[in-house]
Amino acid sequence: MIPVQYYLLLSAAVFCIGVFGILTRKNALMFLMSVELLLNAANINLVAFSQFHGNLSGQTFSLFTLALAAAEVAVGIGIILVLYRNFKDVDVAKATTMRW
């Protein structure tokens, strides 16, 4: 059985990669991918502690987080399509206004 500390280290690494992606990228698609990494880091923690405590509540919350991530991607892709249609680029620095 793998100790919970290894899961926490993996989760911290994935979370740090996600934060680094959000802070350094200007591409909207990279933002979405970085947010997915943040949510997956939370899921790793939830499942690890669920296994550690021997109940299924963390895994249940993880499923809700996955559903939330899917909804977030659907809305995010819509925003990116509108951004590309209006500015011909997905760089968020160029989109200073969302007016037509």
Side-chain angles (χ1 to χ4, degrees):
M1 183 168 165
I2 299 173
V4 73
Q5 291 88 3
Y6 291 126
Y7 292 113
L8 294 178
L9 286 174
L10 174 67
S11 173
V14 171
F15 188 83
C16 289
I17 292 170
V19 168
F20 180 76
I22 286 177
L23 293 177
T24 59
R25 302 292 181 180
K26 292 182 179 180
N27 190 336
L29 288 173
M30 295 302 288
F31 276 173
L32 280 179
M33 291 171 55
S34 298
V35 169
E36 293 296 322
L37 285 176
L38 295 176
L39 291 173
N40 282 330
N43 284 338
I44 291 171
N45 277 338
L46 288 171
V47 172
F49 282 115
S50 173
Q51 181 199 12
F52 182 71
H53 291 293
N55 58 17
L56 297 177
S57 62
Q59 294 176 8
T60 305
F61 281 117
S62 178
L63 287 175
F64 284 124
T65 306
L66 288 174
L68 177 72
E72 176 254 335
V73 166
V75 171
I77 292 294
I79 291 172
I80 289 172
L81 287 175
V82 169
L83 186 70
Y84 182 76
R85 188 176 61 193
N86 289 335
F87 297 102
K88 303 297 181 209
D89 197 3
V90 291
D91 187 4
V92 293
K94 291 183 181 178
T96 56
T97 63
M98 291 297 285
R99 292 194 292 174
W100 302 96

